[in-house]
Amino acid sequence: MDLLDDEPFVPLSVREGRREPFELTRGIPDYLLSSIGSWFGEWFRGPFMELSRDKLLQVCRCLRINAVGDSEQLLDRLGKMSVADDGFTLDLVDLLLYLGHNAADLDGYLREVNHEYRVADDWRHLTRRVDSTAQEAYRRAVTPADHASALLSQAWEKAYSRHEDPAGAWDDACAAVEALLKPVVSPKDEKATLGKMKKALRGTPHKWGCALSDLDGRTGIQRFIAALDVITYRPDRHPTSEVAGPVNIEESRMVVLQAVAVVNWLRDEALYPVVGDV
């Protein structure tokens, strides 16, 4: 059995309703701390338990920690910082993944406790756990090695990693959709924007066919345009914008998830030009 592909274990008492269901694990509770501590130890110590000062100093540099004391003292200090601050522990986990530490074991630990974070598909950083259907849709959308996939991957990381960038995630999601929409809607206009392309679709819908069916009084092309309308440009992207403040991460994530859906539609040729019209 491969734990990496399974749902978290649910005790019999929970399944039978005699015990409250486990909540999503957040931070580093005591029942996870020992396993994470052992995982840290595998990185800092070699096969003969010799302590690597080079690795300790690298961590200190990356996390901006003053490297005071000998190696044992420094490791002890990092351990105490981890016990005292869950945020620091997660940053340290994220860093060791980036440096190439054992991602498979860590992902198993996080899945077993149904943690709010999981190891990202690139095995190099933590990412927030999302609905499995949304996760699979994202994986499918970024499978082809093209510019749209690169942009969408960037958007996903900025939306769900520990280093959130709501504005960047929003912008990259829009750019990913643009990259696939241009060859279909405006193949001769390299500078075509989402706004211009949506205007073209609305103005001359007969020029395109759509795999979406007509529903609730709307044609397939109208439903496609409505989906695109969710992926507007970030409202605060201009210095003169009158919006109240910068975009929040929740709204940015909604744009990213919508972009995933539209990218998959475009890859499946859900929108296509009518021969001789475009």
Side-chain angles (χ1 to χ4, degrees):
M1 179 177 68
D2 186 356
L3 284 175
L4 297 184
D5 294 329
D6 289 343
E7 294 296 321
F9 171 72
V10 179
L12 178 63
S13 57
V14 173
R15 301 199 305 270
E16 293 183 342
R18 293 181 286 104
R19 183 179 182 183
E20 289 296 316
F22 291 158
E23 296 181 353
L24 191 71
T25 296
R26 303 182 189 278
I28 308 292
D30 290 342
Y31 57 79
L32 180 60
L33 184 60
S34 294
S35 296
I36 296 296
S38 297
W39 186 78
F40 286 159
E42 293 171 2
W43 173 257
F44 290 116
R45 295 187 183 276
F48 301 104
M49 298 301 292
E50 71 275 13
L51 191 55
S52 171
R53 186 163 182 82
D54 287 343
K55 288 184 176 180
L56 285 165
L57 293 178
Q58 184 179 28
V59 164
C60 288
R61 290 193 301 271
C62 291
L63 296 181
R64 309 300 190 266
I65 299 169
N66 292 333
V68 179
D70 61 28
S71 296
E72 291 290 349
Q73 291 172 326
L74 192 51
L75 182 62
D76 182 63
R77 183 180 172 205
L78 292 176
K80 289 178 179 177
M81 292 173 69
S82 291
V83 171
D85 183 356
D86 286 354
F88 173 78
T89 306
L90 290 170
D91 279 345
L92 183 53
V93 168
D94 204 42
L95 172 61
L96 296 194
L97 286 172
Y98 174 78
L99 295 176
H101 192 27
N102 184 350
D105 281 356
L106 176 70
D107 198 49
Y109 301 153
L110 297 179
R111 287 176 185 268
E112 286 170 346
V113 301
N114 196 25
H115 201 277
E116 62 176 324
Y117 284 102
R118 58 181 287 275
V119 176
D121 292 341
D122 64 3
W123 297 105
R124 297 296 299 276
H125 67 278
L126 292 175
T127 186
R128 291 187 185 275
R129 192 176 301 280
V130 300
D131 176 82
S132 59
T133 301
Q135 184 72 37
E136 184 55 37
Y138 163 70
R139 287 173 177 163
R140 181 167 170 262
V142 299
T143 295
D146 59 15
H147 185 50
S149 289
L151 289 166
L152 197 57
S153 294
Q154 291 172 190
W156 190 272
E157 181 172 348
K158 291 171 183 176
Y160 292 104
S161 75
R162 281 189 52 74
H163 308 289
E164 294 170 356
D165 178 3
W170 191 311
D171 292 345
D172 288 341
C174 288
V177 172
E178 276 185 341
L180 291 184
L181 197 59
K182 284 178 185 178
V184 180
V185 178
S186 302
K188 298 179 182 179
D189 184 0
E190 294 183 359
K191 297 182 179 180
T193 63
L194 273 175
K196 288 175 65 176
M197 288 187 283
K198 283 190 277 188
K199 184 177 180 180
L201 289 169
R202 282 194 175 92
T204 54
H206 61 277
K207 290 186 176 183
W208 291 274
C210 185
L212 297 179
S213 59
D214 297 350
L215 186 65
D216 296 330
R218 294 188 300 174
T219 64
I221 192 71
Q222 288 173 331
R223 292 177 61 207
F224 190 93
I225 294 169
L228 282 179
D229 282 338
V230 177
I231 313 169
T232 58
Y233 287 125
R234 179 167 45 90
D236 64 339
R237 68 192 183 107
H238 295 302
T240 57
S241 174
E242 296 180 359
V243 295
V247 296
N248 59 56
I249 190 62
E250 290 78 15
E251 189 172 7
S252 181
R253 285 174 181 160
M254 286 190 287
V255 172
V256 172
L257 289 173
Q258 184 75 345
V260 167
V262 172
V263 163
N264 275 320
W265 289 354
L266 290 168
R267 293 202 188 283
D268 290 342
E269 299 183 352
L271 182 73
Y272 51 91
V274 176
V275 176
D277 276 335
V278 178

